[in-house]
């Protein structure tokens, strides 16, 4: 279930990435102006899930097909929400590492069974799109931005708006550029750090990017985190630049410079993460 204090990594695909029925559906969806923007979307997602679940968390709800729509040049691109799948995954994750008594209280076994069936159905290929890959187009992180996401974007790709209630900060790039950065990052990290957690995390993100159409657009959106940061913090944000500097330092064997960039980045985002404890 989307959190208001969350960041998002999204992939928008061109209509040609979908089968014919989906193309017609999304084209009509966009033409009718039904899509919400990334500022309003997370609230709508949360509301839709809560309304569908109702008071009794006993069933996996049917949720409407919704998406973000992006016009990039002359191309219409779609980022489906896949809410039913995401709710199913959240229900299963809520049971992980929790004693069975508590797990059954939060997510009853009947609901867990439904959630498992939905996830397995998706992964087995029953919901596979035309190109044969079950794609989840949006990743969500609460109370911060995963540092690995910054590998995929460049500081020059920032889009910022500090006007009133529609404050936003996002980075958008062509997926071909994101993939090149991702593969370079993995190469540098593997050579310098080996099988470190950060290497594995960037590799996982790289594999995810490979699932999508080559003319897709990648978006890193600070989402609700903009409500936790001052205008000066957003204006001066250079997190992708720090990641690029750290990787460049690692590639030339300058451990001190790499550590300095990493520590600066971690300190910046730890301050945001600590706000969760104040909530």
């Amino acid at each position: 279930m989307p959190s208001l204090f969350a960041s998002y990594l999204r992939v928008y695909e061109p209509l040609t990435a979908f089968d014919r029925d989906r193309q017609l559906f999304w084209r009509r969806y966009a033409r009718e102006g039904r899509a919400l923007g990334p500022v309003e979307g997370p609230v709508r997602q949360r509301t839709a899930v809560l309304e569908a679940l109702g008071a009794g968390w006993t069933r996996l709800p049917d949720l409407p097909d919704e998406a973000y729509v992006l016009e990039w040049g002359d191309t219409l691109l779609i980022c489906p929400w896949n809410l039913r799948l995401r709710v199913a995954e959240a229900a299963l994750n809520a049971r992980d590492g929790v004693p069975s008594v508590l797990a059954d209280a939060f997510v009853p076994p009947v609901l867990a069974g439904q959630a498992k069936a939905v996830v397995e159905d998706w992964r087995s290929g029953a919901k596979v799109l035309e190109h044969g890959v079950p794609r989840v187009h949006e990743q969500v992180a609460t109370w911060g931005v995963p540092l690995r996401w910054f590998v995929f974007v460049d500081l020059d790709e920032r889009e910022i708006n500090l006007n009133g209630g529609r404050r936003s900060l996002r980075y958008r790039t062509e997926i071909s550029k994101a993939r090149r950065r991702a593969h370079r990052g993995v190469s540098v990290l593997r050579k310098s750090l080996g099988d470190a957690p950060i290497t594995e995390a960037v590799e996982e993100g790289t594999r995810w990017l490979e699932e999508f159409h080559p003319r897709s657009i990648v978006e890193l959106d600070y989402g609700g985190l903009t409500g936790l940061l001052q205008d000066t913090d957003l204006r001066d944000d250079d997190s992708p630049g720090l990641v690029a500097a750290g990787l460049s330092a690692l590639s030339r064997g300058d451990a001190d410079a790499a550590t300095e960039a990493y520590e600066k980045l971690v300190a910046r985002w730890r301050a945001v993460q600590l706000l969760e404890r104040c909530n």
Side-chain angles (χ1 to χ4, degrees):
M1 191 180 306
S3 166
L4 296 182
F5 296 116
S7 59
Y8 306 89
L9 185 65
R10 306 184 181 104
V11 175
Y12 295 79
E13 291 194 281
L15 288 174
T16 52
F18 303 92
D19 63 31
R20 178 176 172 77
D21 289 343
R22 289 284 87 187
Q23 288 184 38
L24 293 173
F25 176 85
W26 291 127
R27 194 182 300 277
R28 183 171 62 252
Y29 180 88
R31 186 174 61 248
E32 294 173 354
R34 293 161 56 189
L36 294 176
V39 174
E40 303 88 357
V43 176
R44 172 58 188 151
Q45 290 185 16
R46 187 179 183 88
T47 302
V49 171
L50 291 175
E51 289 177 347
L53 288 173
W57 174 248
T58 58
R59 63 182 180 84
L60 195 65
D62 290 321
L63 291 157
D65 286 333
E66 305 257 15
Y68 295 115
V69 175
L70 174 66
E71 292 187 13
W72 189 267
D74 296 330
T75 305
L76 185 69
L77 300 113
I78 304 295
C79 176
W81 290 359
N82 297 317
L83 283 182
R84 194 164 193 261
L85 175 66
R86 287 166 57 189
V87 170
E89 289 182 327
L92 296 178
N93 290 338
R95 294 177 60 90
D96 288 346
V98 178
S100 59
V101 174
L102 293 178
D104 291 348
F106 283 107
V107 182
V110 63
L111 174 60
Q114 294 172 10
K116 184 177 180 181
V118 167
V119 173
E120 289 180 349
D121 185 41
W122 179 270
R123 292 176 178 169
S124 68
K127 300 296 185 183
V128 170
L129 301 178
E130 185 177 55
H131 295 283
V133 181
R135 304 185 287 280
V136 176
H137 291 72
E138 182 179 54
Q139 296 187 26
V140 183
T142 57
W143 298 97
V145 180
L147 303 188
R148 63 186 180 276
W149 289 2
F150 293 119
V151 175
F152 309 141
V153 297
D154 185 84
L155 189 58
D156 291 338
E157 294 162 343
R158 179 173 66 175
E159 300 177 10
I160 186 170
N161 177 19
L162 301 178
N163 295 326
R166 300 184 64 84
R167 296 164 80 245
S168 64
L169 192 158
R170 65 177 63 97
Y171 297 86
R172 284 176 174 163
T173 188
E174 297 169 5
I175 199 169
S176 58
K177 294 179 181 178
R179 286 171 174 167
R180 284 197 298 270
R181 294 165 186 151
H183 285 292
R184 177 180 179 275
V186 169
S187 177
V188 170
L189 290 169
R190 182 150 299 284
K191 181 178 180 181
S192 303
L193 305 179
D195 294 326
I198 183 60
T199 305
E200 295 175 358
V202 176
E203 282 185 328
E204 181 181 352
T206 304
R207 287 193 295 270
W208 180 69
L209 290 177
E210 294 293 346
E211 297 176 0
F212 299 96
H213 192 282
R215 293 181 60 197
S216 299
I217 297 298
V218 178
E219 175 182 86
L220 194 171
D221 184 1
Y222 280 31
L225 300 182
T226 58
L228 303 175
L229 299 167
Q230 300 295 321
D231 285 358
T232 53
D233 296 326
L234 296 173
R235 194 178 294 113
D236 296 339
D237 179 77
D238 63 345
S239 297
L242 287 174
V243 168
L247 288 173
S248 178
L250 281 177
S251 68
R252 63 177 185 270
D254 190 343
D256 290 340
T259 299
E260 181 181 356
Y262 176 75
E263 290 180 346
K264 186 181 295 185
L265 191 65
V266 168
R268 174 180 301 166
W269 288 102
R270 182 182 294 122
V272 176
Q273 292 165 356
L274 289 175
L275 292 173
E276 181 179 10
R277 301 182 184 180
C278 302
N279 185 27

